């Protein structure tokens, strides 16, 4: 039986595809194994055996529940690869393997699943990282949202690299690899009931190659972090809190596409709260800032890299570090965490 | 509660609807609250309705006054040979 | 973005700041109320404070419809969704506001009620069309800016014969609220706030026109300068207010001439007059009962009035005890005067509406300047230039 | 703010808990970090850094979507630890770290989440394996089923251990560590609309310690596999197909609890299709069978271990291996994969 | 498990096998039809074949209600759920059966229809109680074993006044089907199956009693031995049939005396007589139209008849082309004679009902003995002892 | 379609309901199709209804006959000094 037999017009996921019987085996073989094919996955065990790694291991996981499943610039398949590779890269590590667990809703079109798996396989291949093992579950209609994908990534950290918020120090530079808010606004533009037209594409991309070059040039980078859910503000607030230092941004220096700014004006959103999926924050010594920006800009994902702020004084003992910003007009304000979920507003 | 943004009318449709472009973002909105509207007009957009036309001339005048205010002060100060107003 | 970016220009901001500093009389104290939450938001988000002289104070007024909506009206909306099984449509702004027992539209949704966030009343109409078997209720809130859209939706529903659409109408009016703040009925004059003038509403004024404030200015002798919502608009309007105060004038002036005219949008005014009727009085959070300050749906459109369609129960709605929102909305207290501010009450665990709405004074202070408000040392301010 | 503040009576998951803002941070801190506390997780990064491992790495992942969330003998929390540790053990590996990704449905009681996280933390501690990193997403009501947990495990394989279906040979023995069907029947007994009374407890348990002893004694074990979803029949059919060998079971030798047999009679189910979560199949050389059974029986999870079958001839080239069984009355039949999902039947 | 395990005993099985081998006349061919799918299942699941002499053949009869239900009736059930929005309740057995265009209840559910698997009609009644606003339809299928439970549910619904409960009645009767197999109307006698006797139904007989088969035996002269569903029951009944054949007798005998009496369950018979009425004829898959072979709901209970309640459309229902189920159900072909068997048609992708039901001949052959059926070499059989 | 299992009545309830135990599994079922039933009786259970009483005596007799059949044959064969029936 070929994939075409399984993915015939109108065919959808049924509970049987998750029952653990032959239907499950066939689904895995005809969709996932076909699109992800690589020597590790092809071992066909419940657990993949990887060669002995050279260095410390980094491990990270992310559940991807994006809606809609396909959006300008990507889909949940490629996103689930990029999102996890970037977290591995945030550890200063080179990714060596991914796992992928699918939770699929009964009734989900097999053709859509095939498309998503193809995109996921392509993203992993283009990143050069195998999807080594996986799992497939089917849940009843009304207990899912098409498909959820949890990817876990492992990588190897070169010796001498010690990425940690504890290494944040006064006077360090805060770099950002490109424009803010592209992913979140691309998603919002396709949300039911909110559709608006825009040329904005998600920035979803794998950053491990750029990061590898950065780490090779400056092993002493203090922090790498991808500002995903909760945006720049959540990520930098976390770092300010964890490090006990005030971080001051310069609003005028933060790269943003005009359409993203426009959509934020329309929906009453702060672009600093909007998710990114192909951006990296880097905190480094002042003297490393320019060399790192040069390296970032040499990568397609870092073309708009900019220095967006500076680490300030350590906060008073017992008080957390603050994130603040010099505004466009030269005032100063706190940049707070997003309170609750991101809700478009009219006031 | 009064978040409203400037947008340019790019097309007019049946039922007093229009397509607008706001900073590169397009959306269909109602222009039923306006007496008359034309493609190319800028309108103020609020909860899916165009609420008022925006006057380009008045906007330019406002900006001109803002620019002049400060400049005037600087020039006066320069003329008087003293420094300008102290920044807060 | 045209008509936006220009009004956030740092060079013009510096010019205006210098001019204000130059013209402000160091011997005076200036207290200006920005009526609108939109101004409050702009002042905090752009740090306009930092560009003002020390003797100028912004008093944050009651012009945030989310903040002034009494808990009872929110409880009613939750009841319509929970007890009467309607699809309740609300603007995102309302979703997190705590009602009695700290229940919000979001928590009611988490508990199973069918509550949808909409961006426009047109979205609520679309939902009514798509769900003919369900009752779709639009929670209408907002000032004169927002009310015309609600009125248009009712007219559209009537034209289409959409029998399952109705509006829970909470639209309120600006001039009666300004009058109320100035009269401060029943308030000890010692406790009443001293004001030297008003930043007049931006977008409300596009609908009602600049002339609408003339009677207030004439009667109470306080200057009103209608101002746009961008930071430069606010700064220029402040300069205009300072000049009126310095000159001893009290006039309606219009800084926001690119959108506000003397007579406003008469078509919108006509639609409101057609669909709505004035309530003799309406309860405002903080202000109490304010005469002639809100719209109900006119009897001709009773079929679209959710208050008529659903038997809304009498209930014991409760404001959070020791929430100082009422006093803050009258301008007589500041968020830092509230014991809960930044402790029990934060944007994640709001005890009052002023902490939810991004236009609320408490949320603005917490989000943008809490270091100062809570007495921890303010971060050192780099020079504005 | 203490956990008691978050988990106040009646408190439920709201979308904000997944928004990436302070509510998310607090949820993670007060529930997950509290129950999972260990030095790796406490690094507090998006990616955990593990010490340099000694040996090849094994990686496996499983999405857990069990309903009901709590069942006799366990809950989704402990299950998600055991299920993945057992897959690591199936690689012949010693588990060194777990990741955990949560997909939580809006409206889910925080008290239940706390209980599940506590059970998960306890299972990981008792297994001696840290939950090194995690992720939390919240989906809208009607897009989940309380909570789904995807766990990924990594482990280290001792040199010389080569678990693989390709090493199956004629004459090898098929061992099973205990009774079949306990987990699946414990779950079914609590399924809505099917409730029946039974003393059956899920067998959910971590088997890596038993496996470590087995592998130490017999590094040449050909295959280890936990017969979970799809039961003994799915797992052994997979092995028969992958190895190209016929496997013959002896029905009379397969351990089964009387209540499990009774429930299967009542529902018209085949116990060989029912899921297990604390059992291990081992295929080994004939002469290793008895020593391995002795080791298995010395562990609490292997008390009922038995030899249940034998690997037969290699199938004709091009035909897959078959799984068959000598029946109780001495007949012979094929044991097929479960067709479709497991449906209770009346005929 | 008492009354179960004893009847799977390997020592007794060996005894019976020896006795059968001893008594079977090597000069004869024995062809016995097990009417019931339950027997088919037991024979395959326990490998009873392997304990039988080579000159004895089991012919698999039409006694699987899932297999004999015409596609049209399944299509009706899907229509009731999809077009009329009812909650359709069915036994697990029915969920995967392919209807027209290979659509099953499961695939209809995956596509959004509200279809629930139930274990008992009592569960369907409970659903009707819990969902008073919905129509709950129970898909009644089965022989006389199952029909009394359906009848009881209707009486219960009437007693409770459950106005939203109804039954799509497809209950069929055993003796008319046996008669039909024996008469083979319209079938070329050369093509008709040669039978030496019947394994009589187990659980049907608990309801209708052993005497129900007497007229058939008298008329057609073929022995009937009522047999339990355990493998030893089957073997003992085979022995009893062999003895009748060898003796030239044709009688109703009862092997399953622990549950089957001569007169059956008269209370259950009464309930069926009360609630049901005989259809003049009913379409059976494979057999065609069989007179007096099925129940409809009696006019007094029309309120609970889904066929009356819902306007079920005429549609072009289609059996899968080249599916040999009809011939297999008449006993004149075997699954291996079907071109699709084990290739296009497997339990995961069934083309006919006989491949879905675990009692269907095709499913049994595929699941338990496909190596033989498909001509690949049968695995070497270890000695049964 | 006629899957039915033996179960022992362990309790009787209102509305012709009973609790039964089938191989260690308990469930509530209807006994409305039976004329009379008592705790301790074995019944045949089908789709939630008890369909018939099971006769312990008859079951024992059936098993006795099965046992005897084979034994008899063995004994006969032994007596005759030849081997028994050939196993299939
Ligand atoms: S801080 Fe909170 S409780 Fe205090 S006044 Fe503001 S909203 Fe009310
Ligand atoms: S194998 Fe399939 S298609 Fe062929 S007769 Fe059987 S059910 Fe019909
Ligand atoms: Mg992660
Ligand atoms: Mg990530
Ligand atoms: Mg798995
Ligand atoms: Mg859904
Ligand atoms: Mg990250
Ligand atoms: Mg796994
Ligand atoms: Mg597993
Ligand atoms: Mg994450
Ligand atoms: Mg649910
Ligand atoms: Mg496994």
């Amino acid at each position: 039986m070929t994939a075409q037999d399984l993915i015939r017009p109108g065919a959808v996921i049924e509970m049987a595809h998750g029952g653990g019987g032959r239907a499950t085996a066939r689904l895995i073989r005809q969709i996932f194994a076909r699109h992800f094919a690589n020597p590790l996955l092809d071992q066909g065990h419940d657990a993949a055996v990887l060669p002995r790694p050279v260095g410390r291991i980094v491990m990270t996981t992310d559940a991807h529940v994006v809606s809609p499943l396909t959006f300008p610039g990507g889909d949940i398949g490629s996103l689930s690869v990029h999102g996890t590779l970037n977290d591995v890269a945030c550890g200063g590590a080179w990714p060596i393997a991914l796992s992928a667990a699918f939770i699929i809703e009964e009734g989900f079109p097999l053709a859509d699943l095939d498309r998503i798996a193809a995109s996921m396989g392509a993203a992993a291949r283009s990143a050069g990282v195998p999807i080594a093992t996986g799992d497939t579950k089917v849940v009843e209609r009304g207990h899912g949202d098409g498909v959820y994908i949890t990817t876990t990534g492992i990588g190897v950290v070169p010796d001498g690299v010690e990425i940690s918020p504890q290494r944040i120090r006064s006077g360090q530079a805060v770099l950002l690899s490109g424009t803010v808010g592209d992913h979140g606004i691309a998603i919002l533009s396709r949300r039911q009931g909110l559709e608006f037209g825009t040329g904005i594409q998600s920035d979803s991309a794998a950053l491990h190659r750029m990061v590898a070059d950065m780490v090779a040039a400056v092993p002493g980078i203090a922090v790498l972090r991808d500002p995903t859910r909760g945006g720049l503000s959540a990520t930098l607030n976390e770092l300010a809190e964890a490090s006990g230092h005030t971080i001051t941004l310069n609003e005028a220096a933060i790269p943003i596409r005009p359409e993203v700014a426009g959509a934020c004006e329309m929906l009453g959103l702060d672009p600093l709260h909007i998710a990114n999926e192909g951006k990296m924050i880097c905190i480094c010594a002042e003297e490393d800032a320019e060399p790192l920006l040069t390296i970032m800009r040499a990568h397609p994902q870092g073309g708009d890299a900019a220095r967006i702020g500076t680490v300030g004084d350590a906060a008073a003992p017992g008080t957390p570090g603050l994130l603040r910003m010099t505004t466009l007009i030269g005032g100063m304000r706190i940049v707070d965490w997003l309170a609750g979920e991101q809700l478009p507003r009219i006031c | 509660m009064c978040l409203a943004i400037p947008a340019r009318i790019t097309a007019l449709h049946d039922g007093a609807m229009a397509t607008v472009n706001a900073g590169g973002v397009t959306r269909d909105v109602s222009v039923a609250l306006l007496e008359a509207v034309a493609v190319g007009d800028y309108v103020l957009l609020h909860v899916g309705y165009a609420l008022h036309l925006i006057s380009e001339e008045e906007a330019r005048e406002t900006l001109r006054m803002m620019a002049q205010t400060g400049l005037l002060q600087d020039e006066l100060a320069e003329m008087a040979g003293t420094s300008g107003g102290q920044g807060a | 973005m045209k008509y936006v970016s220009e009004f956030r220009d740092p060079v013009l901001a510096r010019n205006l700041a210098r001019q204000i500093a130059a013209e402000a009389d160091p011997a005076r104290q200036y207290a200006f109320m920005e009526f609108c939450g939109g101004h409050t938001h702009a002042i905090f988000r752009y740090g306009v404070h930092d560009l003002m002289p020390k003797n100028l104070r912004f008093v944050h007024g009651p012009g945030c419809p989310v903040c002034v909506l009494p808990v009872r009206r929110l409880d009613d909306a939750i009841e319509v969704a929970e007890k009467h099984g309607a699809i309740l449509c609300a603007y995102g702004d309302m979703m997190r506001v705590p009602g009695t027992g700290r229940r919000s539209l979001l928590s009611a949704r988490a508990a199973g009620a069918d509550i949808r966030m909409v961006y426009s009343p047109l979205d609520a109409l679309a939902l009514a069309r798509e769900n003919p078997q369900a009752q779709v209720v639009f929670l209408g809130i907002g000032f004169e800016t927002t009310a015309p859209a609600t009125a248009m939706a009712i007219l559209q529903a009537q034209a289409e014969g959409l029998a399952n659409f109705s509006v829970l109408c909470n639209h309120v009016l600006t001039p009666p609220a300004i009058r109320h703040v100035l009269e401060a009925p029943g308030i000890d004059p010692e406790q009443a706030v001293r004001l030297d003038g008003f930043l007049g509403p931006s977008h409300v004024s596009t609908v009602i026109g600049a002339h609408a404030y003339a009677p207030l200015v004439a009667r109470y002798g306080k200057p009103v300068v209608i101002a746009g919502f961008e930071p430069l608009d606010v700064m220029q309007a402040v300069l205009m207010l300072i000049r009126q105060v310095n000159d001893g004038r009290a006039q309606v002036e219009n800084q926001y001439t690119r959108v506000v005219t003397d007579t406003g949008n008469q078509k919108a005014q006509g639609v409101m007059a057609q669909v709505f009727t004035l309530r003799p009085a309406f309860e405002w959070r903080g202000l109490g009962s304010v005469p002639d300050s809100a719209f109900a749906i006119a009897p001709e459109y009773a079929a679209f009035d959710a208050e008529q369609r659903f038997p809304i129960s009498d209930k014991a709605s409760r404001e959070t005890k020791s929430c100082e929102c009422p006093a803050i909305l009258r301008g007589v207290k500041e968020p830092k005067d509230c014991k809960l501010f930044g402790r029990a009450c934060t944007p994640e665990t709001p005890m009052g509406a002023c902490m939810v709405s991004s236009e609320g004074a408490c949320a603005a202070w917490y989000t943008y300047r809490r270091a100062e408000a809570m007495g921890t040392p303010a971060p050192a301010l780099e020079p504005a230039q």
Side-chain angles (χ1 to χ4, degrees), chain A, chain B, chain C:
Chain A
M1 180 165 279
T2 66
Q4 278 60 45
D5 289 328
L6 184 72
I7 312 164
R8 56 180 199 280
V12 300
I13 284 286
E14 299 182 11
M15 293 306 294
H17 288 114
R22 207 183 270 117
T24 305
R26 184 176 300 143
L27 178 75
I28 291 170
R29 196 159 53 234
Q30 296 193 358
I31 293 193
F32 299 122
R34 186 163 61 92
H35 289 304
F36 300 168
N38 65 68
L40 292 177
L41 187 67
D42 300 347
Q43 295 169 353
H45 303 201
D46 264 10
V49 182
L50 282 62
R52 181 192 287 258
V54 185
R56 289 155 301 159
I57 291 283
V58 144
M59 182 181 203
T60 185
T61 194
D62 263 316
H64 299 270
V65 298
V66 67
S67 170
L69 296 171
T70 300
F71 45 82
D75 60 37
I76 191 172
S78 51
L79 181 68
S80 68
V81 168
H82 298 153
T84 292
L85 290 181
N86 292 348
D87 278 343
V88 172
C90 286
W94 180 255
I96 58 171
L98 289 170
S99 68
F102 293 79
I103 298 175
I104 317 175
E105 189 179 10
E106 180 187 24
F108 188 65
L110 279 164
D112 290 3
L113 186 64
D114 189 60
R115 207 170 22 72
I116 287 166
S119 152
M120 194 168 175
R125 265 192 308 281
S126 123
V129 182
I131 297 172
T133 188
D135 188 47
T136 310
K137 296 286 154 60
V138 174
V139 293
E140 278 179 29
R141 183 173 270 269
H143 285 164
D145 194 15
V147 60
Y148 299 140
I149 306 177
T150 297
T151 42
T152 303
I154 57 178
V156 178
V157 204
D159 287 339
V161 174
E162 298 288 346
I163 306 292
S164 162
Q166 270 68 53
R167 299 186 52 235
I168 290 178
R169 298 284 177 274
S170 293
Q172 287 176 334
V174 180
L175 316 181
L176 176 65
S177 66
T179 53
V180 291
D182 300 39
H183 176 72
I185 294 297
I187 293 283
L188 272 183
S189 75
R190 296 299 157 94
R191 273 283 161 77
Q192 227 216 321
L194 206 70
E195 292 92 347
F196 51 86
T198 138
I200 304 165
Q201 304 264 317
S202 166
D203 56 348
S204 178
L207 303 175
H208 58 297
R209 292 198 176 93
M210 181 178 81
V211 165
D213 287 353
M214 292 166 69
V215 164
V218 185
I221 285 173
V223 168
L224 293 164
R225 194 67 73 89
D226 58 335
T228 54
R229 191 173 42 154
L232 213 58
S233 106
T235 304
L236 288 173
N237 265 295
E238 252 183 64
L239 293 173
E241 281 195 12
S243 71
H245 281 73
T246 289
I247 295 176
T248 305
L249 300 178
N250 177 7
E251 185 168 18
I254 299 174
I256 183 166
R257 289 185 203 285
E259 304 94 312
V260 170
C264 286
E265 292 294 334
M266 189 168 84
L267 301 170
L269 303 176
D270 187 334
L272 302 186
H273 290 158
I274 311 265
N276 312 279
E277 289 291 349
K279 296 292 152 35
M280 192 62 75
I281 289 169
C282 171
I283 301 184
C284 62
E286 175 66 42
E287 66 269 24
D288 294 327
E290 272 310 318
L292 283 170
L293 284 172
T294 305
I295 291 170
M296 290 159 93
R297 290 185 189 129
H299 280 267
Q301 280 77 38
D304 295 318
R307 175 181 181 159
I308 61 168
T310 302
V311 178
D313 295 339
T319 57
L322 265 187
L323 178 65
R324 45 179 211 166
M325 181 163 80
T326 308
T327 72
L328 285 180
I329 65 163
M332 175 68 72
R333 65 150 162 125
I334 291 172
V335 177
D336 202 13
W337 296 78
L338 170 64
E341 72 175 316
Q342 182 87 281
L343 296 174
R345 60 189 185 84
I346 67 156
C347 74
Chain B
M1 203 66 199
C2 300
L3 192 118
I5 57 162
R8 200 169 61 88
I9 308 271
T10 59
L12 289 168
H13 312 294
D14 282 351
M17 295 297 288
T19 302
V20 300
N21 183 314
V25 169
T26 62
R27 211 188 134 92
D28 284 356
V29 304
S30 170
V31 291
L33 285 170
L34 300 185
E35 288 294 350
V37 76
V39 168
D41 283 353
Y42 272 86
V43 294
L44 190 72
L45 197 62
H46 177 67
V47 298
Y49 284 82
L51 213 52
H52 212 283
L53 286 167
I54 300 178
S55 159
E56 169 134 38
E57 197 180 322
E58 289 289 346
R60 219 182 296 121
E61 174 62 14
T62 302
L63 286 168
R64 198 188 53 77
M65 278 170 56
M66 288 176 180
Q68 229 177 25
T69 311
L71 286 174
L72 196 62
Q73 188 66 16
D74 274 5
E75 284 158 15
L76 287 173
E78 245 172 74
M79 276 185 243
T82 65
S83 89
Q86 11 16 334
Chain C
M1 193 172 185
K2 188 164 179 183
Y3 302 123
V4 171
S5 326
E6 310 91 294
F7 296 93
R8 298 175 186 170
D9 182 80
V11 175
L12 294 184
R14 197 182 48 192
N15 288 349
L16 283 165
R18 283 190 197 154
Q19 189 76 25
I20 287 168
E23 296 195 25
D25 179 349
R28 275 183 189 269
Q29 295 291 320
Y30 298 90
F32 299 133
M33 174 177 271
E34 83 274 10
F35 180 83
C36 272
H39 286 132
T40 309
H41 186 74
I43 290 166
F44 280 84
R45 189 189 185 304
Y46 291 99
V48 175
H49 282 109
D50 298 328
L51 305 179
M52 293 293 122
K54 294 269 175 285
N55 57 337
L56 187 148
R57 184 165 79 95
F58 289 112
V59 180
H60 317 303
C64 158
V66 173
C67 304
V68 298
L69 191 74
V71 159
R72 165 60 197 266
R73 306 290 302 185
L74 174 64
D75 291 348
D76 288 351
I78 294 176
E79 177 181 341
V80 163
E82 285 198 330
K83 206 159 122 194
H84 303 299
I87 300 177
L88 184 91
C89 305
Y91 293 128
D93 316 62
M94 282 306 300
M95 299 297 280
R96 261 196 294 267
V97 180
T100 298
R102 295 174 62 176
R103 298 203 64 206
S104 66
L105 293 176
L106 272 188
S107 64
R109 189 182 75 180
D114 194 348
I115 292 170
R116 315 278 180 103
M117 201 192 65
V118 294
Y119 177 77
S120 163
L122 294 171
D123 302 337
L125 282 179
L127 276 170
R129 270 179 227 116
E130 289 156 17
N131 298 278
Q133 80 302 340
Q135 287 291 327
V136 173
V137 177
F138 175 69
L139 176 57
I141 59 160
F143 287 103
E144 294 92 335
T145 323
T146 312
T150 304
M152 288 301 291
I154 290 176
L155 292 176
Q156 180 78 29
Q158 188 187 47
E160 294 183 29
L162 274 179
N164 63 330
F165 175 81
S166 61
V167 172
L168 196 55
C169 181
N170 293 291
H171 288 291
V172 284
L173 304 175
T174 311
I178 297 180
R179 187 188 330 116
H180 196 87
V181 167
L182 287 165
E183 292 198 342
I187 307 279
D188 176 357
E190 294 293 299
Q191 294 230 346
V193 58
R194 187 191 65 81
L195 292 176
D196 300 299
F198 288 87
L199 286 170
S202 304
H203 296 149
V204 161
S205 304
T206 64
V207 173
I208 66 176
H211 279 172
Y213 308 97
L216 289 169
V217 172
R219 173 141 183 205
Y220 300 101
K222 301 285 183 190
V224 170
V225 177
I226 295 162
F229 278 148
E230 297 304 328
L232 296 195
D233 291 323
V234 172
M235 293 175 75
Q236 190 177 39
V238 164
L239 181 61
M240 291 164 78
L241 279 171
I242 288 173
R243 285 173 179 169
Q244 285 205 45
V245 172
N246 290 355
D247 296 353
R249 283 181 290 127
Q251 293 170 334
V252 180
E253 289 183 321
N254 185 5
Q255 178 276 335
Y256 198 33
T257 51
R258 62 191 184 276
V259 198
V260 173
T261 59
D262 284 348
T263 51
N265 181 334
Q266 293 180 349
K267 193 167 177 190
Q269 292 165 25
V271 170
M272 291 194 289
Q274 181 183 349
V275 174
F276 298 128
T277 180
L278 263 190
R279 297 183 194 260
F282 193 74
E283 183 74 21
W284 291 53
R285 202 162 190 228
L287 302 189
S289 178
V290 179
D292 299 329
S293 67
F295 284 139
I297 293 170
E300 299 90 301
Y301 300 92
F304 302 97
D305 189 349
E307 286 177 70
Q308 312 269 339
R309 182 168 299 188
F310 300 98
I312 293 172
S313 68
D314 256 329
K315 30 186 185 296
S317 291
R318 264 184 301 101
E319 308 279 340
T320 308
K321 261 200 266 180
S322 65
C323 167
E324 297 280 12
C325 272
I328 292 167
L329 288 164
R330 285 199 316 273
V332 300
K333 286 203 173 174
E334 297 209 18
K336 67 171 187 288
D337 301 327
C338 171
K339 286 197 306 280
L340 305 178
F341 177 81
R343 292 172 185 93
C345 184
T346 69
E348 280 83 30
T349 55
M351 313 290 283
C354 301
M355 188 55 97
V356 179
S357 167
S358 61
E359 301 192 342
C362 297
W365 271 104
Y366 186 88
T367 306
Y368 295 123
R369 303 185 86 83
R370 67 174 167 278
E372 293 143 84
M374 296 183 68
T376 57
L381 179 67
E382 275 100 298
Q385 288 84 342

